[in-house]
Amino acid sequence: MQDILPQIRERLENSQELAMATVVRTWRSAPRPVGSALVVNDQGDMIGSVSGGCVEKSVVNKALKVLGGEPSELVHYGVSNDDAWEVGLSCGGKVDVFIERFLGSGSEQEQALWQQLDQDLANNRGVVLAREVGAGHRQFALAYADGSAVGELPDAIMVAALAALEARESRIMESEGGNWFLQVFPEKPQMLLIGSAHITSELIHLAKLYGFATHVIDPRDTFATKTDYPTEPDSLTVSWPQEILPNLTLNANTYAVILSHDPKIDDEALKILLRQPVAYIGALGSKKTHAKRIARLTDAGFSDDELGKIHAPIGMPINARLPQEIALSVLAEIIKVKNEVPA
Amino acid sequence: MQDILPQIRERLENSQELAMATVVRTWRSAPRPVGSALVVNDQGDMIGSVSGGCVEKSVVNKALKVLGGEPSELVHYGVSNDDAWEVGLSCGGKVDVFIERFLGSGSEQEQALWQQLDQDLANNRGVVLAREVGAGHRQFALAYADGSAVGELPDAIMVAALAALEARESRIMESEGGNWFLQVFPEKPQMLLIGSAHITSELIHLAKLYGFATHVIDPRDTFATKTDYPTEPDSLTVSWPQEILPNLTLNANTYAVILSHDPKIDDEALKILLRQPVAYIGALGSKKTHAKRIARLTDAGFSDDELGKIHAPIGMPINARLPQEIALSVLAEIIKVKNEVPA
């Protein structure tokens, strides 16, 4: 749904009544992942997609009925091989699509919930939109990582919502009181780039492509501002790591890449990052450079266990030579760490 | 130099006299790689770069002297840490820059050589521009993978040129008769994508970013033409692999990715690719799918050695989930194979 947010906002501002169809479950090679959404106004104009063309016509018809006052509906679509061939999709997928009046076109209470969700998304705050998927049911709530919620939801659903948020994965929760769809809008992962250089520039481009918010930190004004960024980082702070890092949220959503080549900068960043629960710390440099770094940090009181958290040599071993290739190896390693199932 | 080719062509068409400065050797973290070029006209207007701003002023002054009739010059620049800090570059790099009248502004013979080189580059034909780098010397030749040459060059230099082309790496060849700079313009690596799908689309975008020419082959018209390509492939052929592959050049510059999910298509591609000297064959699918594939191809007469060439499961092991992540894992594996030093 996030991909069509700007268009949803525009239509709501123009007072259009909207219905929304959401992929809530998929089997095999379904064309669009869980959470994909299609929004329809009372003219049948569509934004977004639930299947890449395969079942959209049927979905729009049902959405128009919902806008006409009929209850919400959970519809199962099987995509036969023959159909799949016709519409250019992978073969044999199946999807469940929930079709309902859109939250922001609902009751006053629902509209307030939408305002809150919309604001959370704008602020990159992780949130779960939990809703009951059943004919005519209208139960919604928002759940947050700190255990707080807006709206009412059963305890078991709250627990499941927090698990879904942790796993960054939207899913159906089947329960006795009714099935709930837990739609996760995770916080974007944050990439900290300590040091501004060619590799920084290449990595920003790739990382943004893969959904990371990118933050460059370099105290050297000329490096920070004269580096050529064909893709601009989300933020660029001309500051020493020890000045700025203590003010940032450093958590399991943080991926730090140490790139400055200057121990005066890199070491200070590591001293802070190594004692925060960040997901990833990778440091550029040869084995020799890293050995010297380990010696300095050991002298500074860091244990082998702590220093073992540093990925060095950085990146997946792909024989990278060019800065662009090193950036690829680093992003690949970060995706690997990001997707590791916790033991 | 290839990055500024269009502007070079335009200036030559406007009958501008041009000098060119080329990075022919680097030490440590030089700001621009070997082969980077800066072209200057008699007004001192620059295109391209040899250092990202650090030594350009000096280079332009020398280029203007060359345009005024002074001999070619090989200049050594050391970039001190202090300088590097000032201009926003990595610290401590050193570069050798060769400054000369540009080939296309030279004698009639030289201009003819430039026309040939320009045509080779337009046709994506691998070529080495060999030239003597010494004060006032004007010796140029082109060398090709098949051992042919345009212009005169000593046997030892020809051998070195072919090695440089094979390694896809520009370099200086020191010889008794004078030092030669072997500037390699390698053929773009070719990526064949068998089957048009979500992953195909993601892989095209990444592969083009990394300098690959991308060719999609899929006999299923609807798949081939209805897949959403935010980045267009270089070519798209609606054809069975067994119809088109025999007409293509399949060599050490070819990287093949098997993606259709349909054995009728994938197997036919593999039967051809497995017996050609391609650099890489990767095939999508689970271990179970691949085991079935191996069984079918064994029945078709392929040996274990031959089948061992297939990279499957495809891609670097980075816990890829989304199509975009699978594409990343595949490109990472391809870069790994591409950069492997031949034993």
Side-chain angles (χ1 to χ4, degrees):
Chain A
M1 186 183 99
Q2 272 158 302
D3 52 332
I4 54 172
L5 260 183
Q7 293 144 290
I8 289 176
R9 287 172 185 148
E10 192 186 331
R11 294 199 171 184
L12 290 176
E13 279 164 17
N14 292 330
S15 303
Q16 294 190 23
E17 294 284 305
L18 303 177
M20 178 155 75
T22 307
V23 176
V24 296
R25 187 148 41 182
T26 66
W27 291 263
R28 294 199 284 163
S29 50
R32 289 284 182 275
V34 168
S36 300
L38 172 69
V39 163
V40 180
N41 67 11
D42 61 6
Q43 304 300 306
D45 296 334
M46 298 185 287
I47 46 178
S49 160
V50 290
S51 82
C54 190
V55 300
E56 259 70 5
K57 198 175 162 192
S58 158
V59 168
V60 169
N61 286 337
K62 291 182 197 295
L64 289 173
K65 285 184 189 166
V66 164
L67 279 176
E70 292 194 14
S72 309
E73 192 175 358
L74 181 66
V75 190
H76 179 77
Y77 291 100
V79 183
S80 76
N81 283 355
D82 283 351
D83 286 350
W85 186 283
E86 278 309 305
V87 295
L89 302 172
S90 302
C91 294
K94 292 190 284 185
V95 291
D96 276 352
V97 177
F98 186 58
I99 302 161
E100 64 190 323
R101 179 173 285 270
F102 179 61
L103 196 57
S105 294
S107 65
E108 270 186 35
Q109 200 185 355
E110 286 170 16
Q111 288 185 36
L113 205 72
W114 163 253
Q115 296 296 341
Q116 178 63 45
L117 174 60
D118 192 32
Q119 197 180 316
D120 292 336
L121 297 177
N123 295 336
N124 192 25
R125 182 183 185 192
V127 57
V128 181
L129 170 63
R131 62 189 186 272
E132 211 185 337
V133 288
H137 286 251
R138 300 290 293 175
Q139 287 208 56
F140 295 91
L142 301 176
Y144 299 94
D146 61 5
S148 65
V150 177
E152 302 259 321
L153 76 178
D155 285 351
I157 304 301
M158 183 69 198
V159 170
L162 292 179
L165 184 58
E166 173 82 20
R168 308 172 77 85
E169 189 181 271
S170 299
R171 54 177 73 144
I172 286 270
M173 167 72 183
E174 299 187 359
S175 81
E176 287 183 12
N179 295 340
W180 287 69
F181 180 54
L182 305 170
Q183 187 162 11
V184 176
F185 300 93
E187 193 187 322
K188 271 191 190 178
Q190 314 285 315
M191 187 181 292
L192 299 182
L193 301 119
I194 310 295
S196 184
H198 289 338
I199 296 172
T200 315
S201 179
E202 298 286 352
L203 193 49
I204 288 166
H205 183 75
L206 266 191
K208 290 187 95 166
L209 204 59
Y210 279 76
F212 288 79
T214 54
H215 306 293
V216 178
I217 296 167
D218 198 318
R220 300 164 302 186
D221 186 38
T222 46
F223 279 57
T225 56
K226 285 200 187 171
T227 299
D228 179 29
Y229 292 119
T231 303
E232 291 289 322
D234 293 281
S235 79
L236 175 63
T237 307
V238 182
S239 174
W240 290 90
Q242 60 271 38
E243 288 170 354
I244 179 72
L245 288 180
N247 305 325
L248 302 182
T249 304
L250 304 172
N251 60 22
N253 200 32
T254 306
Y255 299 80
V257 191
I258 310 293
L259 297 159
S260 89
H261 282 294
D262 184 338
K264 288 196 303 294
I265 300 166
D266 288 349
D267 286 9
E268 295 308 315
L270 285 167
K271 285 175 191 169
I272 293 164
L273 292 164
L274 281 169
R275 295 196 166 146
Q276 297 295 328
V278 300
Y280 173 90
I281 304 170
L284 196 72
S286 65
K287 280 186 187 175
K288 198 170 141 195
T289 300
H290 188 58
K292 286 185 198 166
R293 175 157 48 212
I294 291 290
R296 288 191 309 269
L297 290 168
T298 301
D299 287 348
F302 286 84
S303 70
D304 288 355
D305 271 5
E306 286 173 322
L307 296 173
K309 289 184 202 163
I310 305 172
H311 291 259
I314 201 169
M316 293 294 288
I318 63 166
N319 304 314
R321 293 176 186 170
L322 304 174
Q324 195 186 32
E325 295 170 352
I326 296 170
L328 183 76
S329 79
V330 173
L331 183 66
E333 185 169 73
I334 284 175
I335 297 289
K336 179 173 187 285
V337 170
K338 184 166 170 287
N339 287 355
E340 258 161 18
V341 179
Chain B
M1 185 183 102
Q2 273 158 301
D3 52 331
I4 54 171
L5 260 183
Q7 293 145 289
I8 290 176
R9 287 171 184 148
E10 192 187 330
R11 293 198 172 185
L12 289 176
E13 279 164 19
N14 292 331
S15 303
Q16 294 190 24
E17 293 285 306
L18 302 177
M20 179 154 77
T22 307
V23 175
V24 296
R25 186 149 41 183
T26 66
W27 291 263
R28 295 200 282 164
S29 50
R32 289 284 182 276
V34 168
S36 301
L38 173 69
V39 162
V40 180
N41 67 10
D42 61 7
Q43 304 301 305
D45 296 334
M46 299 185 285
I47 46 178
S49 161
V50 289
S51 80
C54 190
V55 301
E56 258 71 5
K57 197 174 163 194
S58 157
V59 168
V60 168
N61 285 338
K62 290 181 197 296
L64 290 172
K65 286 184 187 165
V66 164
L67 280 176
E70 293 193 13
S72 309
E73 191 175 359
L74 181 66
V75 189
H76 179 78
Y77 292 100
V79 182
S80 74
N81 283 357
D82 282 350
D83 285 350
W85 186 283
E86 278 310 305
V87 296
L89 302 172
S90 302
C91 294
K94 291 189 283 184
V95 292
D96 276 354
V97 177
F98 187 58
I99 303 160
E100 64 191 322
R101 180 173 284 270
F102 179 62
L103 196 56
S105 295
S107 66
E108 270 185 35
Q109 200 186 356
E110 287 171 13
Q111 288 184 35
L113 205 73
W114 162 252
Q115 296 295 341
Q116 178 62 47
L117 175 61
D118 193 32
Q119 197 180 314
D120 294 336
L121 296 177
N123 295 336
N124 192 24
R125 183 183 185 195
V127 56
V128 181
L129 170 63
R131 62 188 185 275
E132 210 184 338
V133 289
H137 287 250
R138 300 290 294 175
Q139 287 208 57
F140 294 92
L142 301 176
Y144 300 94
D146 62 5
S148 66
V150 177
E152 303 259 319
L153 75 179
D155 286 351
I157 304 301
M158 183 70 197
V159 169
L162 292 179
L165 184 58
E166 173 82 20
R168 308 171 77 83
E169 188 182 272
S170 299
R171 55 176 75 143
I172 286 271
M173 167 73 183
E174 300 187 359
S175 81
E176 286 181 14
N179 295 338
W180 287 69
F181 180 54
L182 305 170
Q183 188 164 9
V184 175
F185 300 93
E187 193 186 323
K188 270 190 190 180
Q190 315 284 314
M191 187 181 292
L192 299 182
L193 300 119
I194 310 295
S196 183
H198 288 338
I199 296 172
T200 316
S201 178
E202 298 285 353
L203 193 48
I204 288 166
H205 183 74
L206 267 191
K208 290 187 94 165
L209 203 59
Y210 279 76
F212 288 80
T214 54
H215 306 293
V216 177
I217 296 167
D218 197 318
R220 300 165 301 186
D221 187 35
T222 45
F223 278 57
T225 56
K226 285 201 186 170
T227 299
D228 179 30
Y229 292 119
T231 303
E232 291 289 323
D234 293 282
S235 79
L236 174 64
T237 307
V238 181
S239 174
W240 291 89
Q242 60 271 38
E243 288 171 354
I244 180 73
L245 289 181
N247 305 324
L248 302 182
T249 303
L250 304 172
N251 60 20
N253 200 32
T254 305
Y255 299 79
V257 191
I258 309 294
L259 296 159
S260 89
H261 282 293
D262 184 339
K264 289 197 302 296
I265 301 167
D266 287 350
D267 286 9
E268 295 309 315
L270 285 166
K271 285 175 191 169
I272 293 164
L273 292 164
L274 282 169
R275 293 193 168 150
Q276 296 295 327
V278 299
Y280 173 90
I281 304 171
L284 197 71
S286 64
K287 280 185 187 175
K288 199 171 142 194
T289 301
H290 189 58
K292 287 186 197 165
R293 176 157 49 212
I294 291 290
R296 288 192 308 271
L297 291 168
T298 301
D299 286 348
F302 285 83
S303 70
D304 288 354
D305 271 4
E306 285 172 322
L307 296 173
K309 288 182 203 165
I310 304 173
H311 291 259
I314 200 169
M316 293 294 288
I318 63 166
N319 304 313
R321 295 176 186 169
L322 305 173
Q324 194 186 33
E325 294 171 353
I326 297 169
L328 183 77
S329 79
V330 173
L331 183 66
E333 186 169 72
I334 285 175
I335 297 289
K336 179 173 187 286
V337 170
K338 182 168 172 286
N339 287 356
E340 257 160 20
V341 179

